[in-house]
Amino acid sequence: MSTAPPSVLGNLGAMQASPSLLPTGSMPPAPGHAAAWAALDEPAEWEGFSRPVAGREGWWESYLAIDGMHCAACALTVEEVLNNLPGVEAVHVNGVTATARLQWRPQATRPSAWMAAVRKAGYGALPAGDLMLAGRRMQAQRVMLWRWLVAGFCMMQVMMYAAPAYLASAGEITPDIQALLGWASWVLTLPVLLFSCWPFFSAALRDVRQLRIGMDVPVALGVLIAFGASTAATFDPGSPWGGYASYDAVPMFVFFLLSGRLLEQRLRDRTAGALEALMRRLPDSVERQDADGSFRAVAVRRLVAGDLIRVLPGQAFPADGAVETGESRVDQSLLTGESRPLLRRVGDGVIAGSHNLTSVLLVRVQRVGPQTRYAEIVALMEQASVEKPGLVQLVDRIASPFLIAVLLASAAAAVWWWPFGPAHAMAVAVSVLIVTCPCALSLATPAAMLAGAGALARGGVLVRKLQALESCAGIDTVVFDKTGTLTEDRMDVIMAHTPVGVNRDEACDMAGALARHSLHPVSRAIAARFPAPGWVASEVEEVAGRGLRGKVARLDGSGQQYLWLGSASFCGAPVPGRGAPLLQAHLSDGEHYLAGFELDEAIRPDAARAVSSLLELGIRVQLLSGDTGQAVAHLARRAGIEWCFAECKPEVKLEHVRRLQREGHRVMMVGDGMNDGPVLAVADVSMAMGEAVPLAQAKADFIMTGNRLLTVPALLVQARRTRTIVRQNLLWAAIYNAACVPLAIVGYMPIWLAGFGMAASSLLVVANSARLARLAPEQ
């Protein structure tokens, strides 16, 4: 996906990477920023990170990567800033992935206006998918790691100087030694305050200038109060703060807090990095055949349908197309979840973003740019990255009021304890400020949801709505459509019958050799089932609507016979009575009946295993189809489904699902995404086969990109795991606050322990959510 040209990217990268330009509050854009943003106002540039909104003529949808967000309050602030711009609507900001989605009209606004507004609010922004994002992310990780290392080193040194005060008896340390230890601790705490704490101070200053309360405000206040009181005790031991010199609490608290931020950043980068890795799979250039037959490297954006391109081993396919020359293995695991490389021969399709592994292929381009399946998958992943479930939206709404309550509670605790000594009152106030910060609560749901959705995407399931992942955990009934869902778009031989005295293997091989000369679905099914490598057919004649006839012999010419393959009347030989199979093809030599073939729609190879896995999960499985009763019942038996319903029109399917819901069932519908649209919309959760319909048009909560039915039970297992993890996170956050807040208010929790508790709660939530980043072994 193209973005800005190198000169623009360079300006944007410098803008984001320069330490002097990191957001420190409301500020006007610098001239360099304005020039870089103005370059994005060109349609050729913003069309690279935007797409038209379906159903809204003249409206575009864009995604931005937001820098400087650390909490739910930050996400709400960015949403408000962008929503207030003219010509901008439907803004959604996800604080965990630091991504914003907005819809806008080019006639009323331009990207430079968004960038300037976001920067004025104290944050940074770049188009999502920009080539500089990976570099920015690595730089941010390095800086955060250095801040953490400085805080850890200073913490150990300060703790060493503080140990005598905790271990020595009264009067054992002389005042001059005590003062020396205090000054040494003060000097070692300064780097923590000026370098390691800078993200908290800058974010808090930004919030104060914008007259709002974010999670960094109580953190910054707690650090400043603790350091200020300790500094007063060191500079003036005779002051009321003389007994309060708790330098060890500051670096320890900052170290614990940065540990949580570092782990949170790694989880965020893992989620966002997966999307960026997908978005960077297209090559910048490809070899295209010119009119003279030679191949020349051209930019991918210049490809059009009908071009013939050459893709070398190790390169990614830049567009959807069909193989014209060559045979190779193709890796499309990141796009469809297929774990093994797939063999692609002449006539087979390849999709943009997949990798050619073994041999050179010549590919005829069929779809480019936004029309490719790759672009549709990227669009769905971008949409999911900014989706906020209902519980997350609730936490966002209560974040600011809760933080105001935290500040009031801290002030009340200080007033209450002031008569017992200013130093103790300040220590209690700082502990309350720190311990009540709702970091764990704000991370409990989105961290788990995004980790779970990322694992599903790698396994071949795209999550269009994170809210549906919550609903999916309660599903007790799965309803499958038949055609295009449980079955493939081809016929399959399910049984071969031969009379007594006829060699079955030889008869099937001869039928396969003859069937190779026809493109009829029945012939293709027989040829696929019986490849007959040792037989060859010649002088083959096809009679439309009836069958094939011709000479069949072994490769060495022996065993030659003239055979008929087709309908019973065409073959001419009497057919033994065997009942009425679903579909028939017959083989004879004109006088003797040699073989009969029962055919049916080809069932997907993992259908029976998927149904069995669902039954093991306690899920009731049903089959709805508009086909005849005999065909539906036969397929249901093959798949292991007990409940099947035939001759169902769309309105009958709709009423069936509604009846199940009235009976108290939570229903998941799995269909082909197009003619099942109404029933997919009314089901509690819906899943569409990705190859059956353009992904942007699929009215489903989940998209099965690899068309593997085993992803259905895998999705339900992952949804249940996600629900369990979210409940564990929320329970931990509730227990932590219920236990620690009273202890802090009554003065039983020192500052360092409050910092440890706050950081540990966030670490536990993030680490617990990270368990969802990989599918469980049973999936």
Side-chain angles (χ1 to χ4, degrees):
M1 182 175 296
S2 63
T3 53
S7 59
V8 175
L9 294 177
N11 290 336
L12 291 174
M15 171 185 73
Q16 295 296 331
S18 174
S20 62
L21 298 177
L22 289 173
T24 56
S26 176
M27 62 186 71
H33 298 149
W37 296 337
L40 294 177
D41 289 345
E42 296 294 329
E45 301 302 334
W46 56 254
E47 287 179 1
F49 59 91
S50 307
R51 62 181 61 89
V53 178
R56 301 190 69 184
E57 186 176 354
W59 285 83
W60 288 73
E61 183 177 70
S62 300
Y63 290 82
L64 301 176
I66 308 298
D67 186 33
M69 292 198 306
H70 299 293
C71 64
C74 296
L76 281 180
T77 299
V78 176
E79 281 189 2
E80 292 176 3
V81 167
L82 292 174
N83 269 319
N84 290 334
L85 294 175
V88 175
E89 292 183 5
V91 179
H92 298 279
V93 179
N94 190 306
V96 175
T97 58
T99 306
R101 180 185 67 192
L102 66 155
Q103 295 181 3
W104 57 287
R105 289 188 301 116
Q107 296 84 354
T109 186
R110 280 291 192 269
S112 59
W114 323 332
M115 306 295 184
V118 171
R119 178 166 175 79
K120 186 177 180 181
Y123 301 90
L126 270 182
D130 194 289
L131 297 178
M132 297 303 298
L133 284 180
R136 286 178 51 218
R137 180 166 287 112
M138 292 182 62
Q139 182 188 20
Q141 286 180 342
R142 287 195 296 266
V143 173
M144 180 70 76
L145 183 61
W146 273 109
R147 297 187 196 279
W148 178 75
L149 290 173
V150 169
F153 175 78
C154 293
M155 175 192 69
M156 292 186 290
Q157 298 301 312
V158 173
M159 284 297 297
M160 181 177 66
Y161 294 140
Y166 291 109
L167 302 177
S169 304
E172 188 174 348
I173 303 179
T174 60
D176 58 332
I177 296 299
Q178 191 169 3
L180 179 63
L181 294 176
W183 279 104
S185 298
W186 183 83
V187 171
L188 286 170
T189 307
L190 279 179
V192 177
L193 196 74
L194 299 177
F195 178 67
S196 298
C197 289
W198 180 246
F200 312 121
F201 290 156
S202 62
L205 180 61
R206 175 193 63 208
D207 292 340
V208 171
R209 286 179 172 176
Q210 296 292 326
L211 300 179
R212 63 175 183 263
I213 303 296
M215 291 187 188
D216 288 313
V217 172
V219 171
L221 279 176
V223 171
L224 288 175
I225 292 173
F227 181 76
S230 299
T231 300
T234 300
F235 279 74
D236 187 7
S239 68
W241 314 100
Y244 183 88
S246 185
Y247 289 110
D248 55 314
V250 174
M252 187 178 298
F253 165 55
V254 173
F255 175 77
F256 290 148
L257 190 58
L258 286 175
S259 298
R261 285 279 175 92
L262 199 61
L263 187 56
E264 176 191 345
Q265 185 186 60
R266 289 181 65 86
L267 178 64
R268 174 186 298 180
D269 292 347
R270 186 173 185 177
T271 304
L275 177 58
E276 287 182 14
L278 178 62
M279 297 177 71
R280 292 196 301 271
R281 283 180 75 89
L282 290 190
D284 296 325
S285 62
V286 66
E287 293 183 354
R288 182 180 65 183
Q289 188 179 53
D290 288 339
D292 60 0
S294 63
F295 286 87
R296 183 169 58 91
V298 297
V300 169
R301 67 173 67 94
R302 295 178 59 187
L303 291 180
V304 296
D307 284 345
L308 184 66
I309 59 175
R310 181 166 61 189
V311 182
L312 303 178
Q315 291 183 341
F317 295 96
D320 292 351
V323 177
E324 284 213 350
T325 303
E327 179 179 308
S328 180
R329 295 279 177 179
V330 172
D331 176 17
Q332 55 186 42
S333 57
L334 194 59
L335 298 171
T336 65
E338 297 284 353
S339 59
R340 297 179 180 178
L342 304 177
L343 181 63
R344 288 292 181 260
R345 298 187 176 95
V346 174
D348 292 339
V350 293
I351 57 178
S354 58
H355 273 85
N356 183 21
L357 297 181
T358 56
S359 304
V360 178
L361 291 179
L362 297 186
V363 177
R364 183 69 64 180
V365 174
Q366 296 174 336
R367 290 175 297 276
V368 297
Q371 288 76 40
T372 62
R373 182 174 181 78
Y374 161 84
E376 294 174 340
I377 292 175
V378 169
L380 288 180
M381 291 187 67
E382 286 179 328
Q383 178 181 337
S385 70
V386 297
E387 187 79 21
K388 290 193 288 189
L391 190 57
V392 177
Q393 297 177 22
L394 175 63
V395 172
D396 287 354
R397 287 194 297 269
I398 67 174
S400 291
F402 183 85
L403 289 169
I404 294 174
V406 167
L407 296 179
L408 294 177
S410 177
V415 171
W416 174 265
W417 285 101
W418 195 268
F420 299 91
H424 184 65
M426 286 297 99
V428 172
V430 171
S431 295
V432 173
L433 277 175
I434 294 171
V435 82
T436 53
C437 188
C439 293
L441 182 63
S442 67
L443 288 171
T445 300
M449 288 285 187
L450 288 167
L456 286 171
R458 290 187 292 273
V461 178
L462 292 183
V463 181
R464 295 187 73 236
K465 301 175 184 177
L466 282 179
Q467 182 72 42
L469 198 55
E470 293 182 19
S471 305
C472 205
I475 292 299
D476 59 18
T477 303
V478 172
V479 179
F480 286 100
D481 176 48
K482 182 179 79 74
T483 305
T485 303
L486 287 178
T487 63
E488 298 176 334
D489 57 349
R490 62 181 178 86
M491 307 295 290
D492 191 19
V493 178
I494 60 175
M495 186 67 69
H497 303 283
T498 53
V500 177
V502 175
N503 186 313
R504 182 181 181 279
D505 293 337
E506 187 173 287
C508 290
D509 284 345
M510 290 190 294
L514 195 58
R516 284 201 298 262
H517 292 262
S518 172
L519 295 179
H520 190 280
V522 173
S523 297
R524 295 177 66 178
I526 294 174
R529 181 67 180 273
F530 307 109
W535 294 81
V536 62
S538 60
E539 301 180 17
V540 178
E541 178 187 1
E542 183 170 6
V543 180
R546 301 193 65 190
L548 300 165
R549 56 192 175 202
K551 295 180 180 179
V552 180
R554 294 186 177 89
L555 292 178
D556 59 6
S558 62
Q560 179 174 297
Q561 299 185 61
Y562 197 89
L563 302 178
W564 283 258
L565 176 66
S567 64
S569 59
F570 177 71
C571 291
V575 179
R578 288 186 171 275
L582 297 176
L583 288 173
Q584 281 190 347
H586 308 275
L587 180 70
S588 78
D589 61 4
E591 296 181 3
H592 305 94
Y593 185 84
L594 301 179
F597 303 96
E598 293 186 15
L599 292 98
D600 196 0
E601 293 178 283
I603 190 171
R604 295 192 183 275
D606 60 346
R609 286 189 296 155
V611 171
S612 175
S613 298
L614 289 171
L615 295 176
E616 291 175 1
L617 292 174
I619 303 295
R620 185 167 65 166
V621 182
Q622 297 185 355
L623 173 62
L624 295 182
S625 175
D627 208 343
T628 63
Q630 184 181 16
V632 173
H634 183 71
L635 182 73
R637 286 194 298 271
R638 295 170 63 192
I641 299 176
E642 181 179 359
W643 300 88
C644 61
F645 303 86
E647 301 179 4
C648 295
K649 297 180 180 179
E651 57 270 21
V652 176
K653 293 181 180 180
L654 197 64
E655 179 56 31
H656 181 86
V657 171
R658 285 175 172 165
R659 179 174 57 81
L660 290 173
Q661 292 172 327
R662 288 194 298 268
E663 294 173 356
H665 295 289
R666 304 276 293 177
V667 182
M668 177 181 184
M669 181 70 195
V670 184
D672 63 11
M674 184 62 80
N675 54 13
D676 292 320
V679 70
L680 288 173
V682 79
D684 297 287
V685 175
S686 55
M687 190 174 195
M689 310 296 289
E691 292 182 359
V693 63
L695 299 184
Q697 302 175 22
K699 306 300 182 184
D701 302 315
F702 302 93
I703 306 295
M704 190 188 307
T705 59
N707 285 350
R708 292 178 295 123
L709 292 176
L710 280 171
T711 56
V712 177
L715 168 61
L716 297 182
V717 171
Q718 185 74 346
R720 293 179 181 183
R721 292 179 65 215
T722 302
R723 179 180 62 183
T724 300
I725 295 296
V726 168
R727 288 178 176 177
Q728 291 173 352
N729 291 345
L730 293 174
L731 179 63
W732 165 250
I735 292 175
Y736 161 74
N737 282 282
C740 295
V741 172
L743 291 175
I745 291 176
V746 300
Y748 287 162
M749 180 167 286
I751 297 175
W752 69 267
L753 186 57
F756 175 78
M758 174 190 169
S761 64
S762 299
L763 281 170
L764 183 61
V765 165
V766 173
N768 196 33
S769 301
R771 293 163 51 199
L772 293 168
R774 293 184 179 180
L775 297 178
E778 63 268 22
Q779 296 173 264

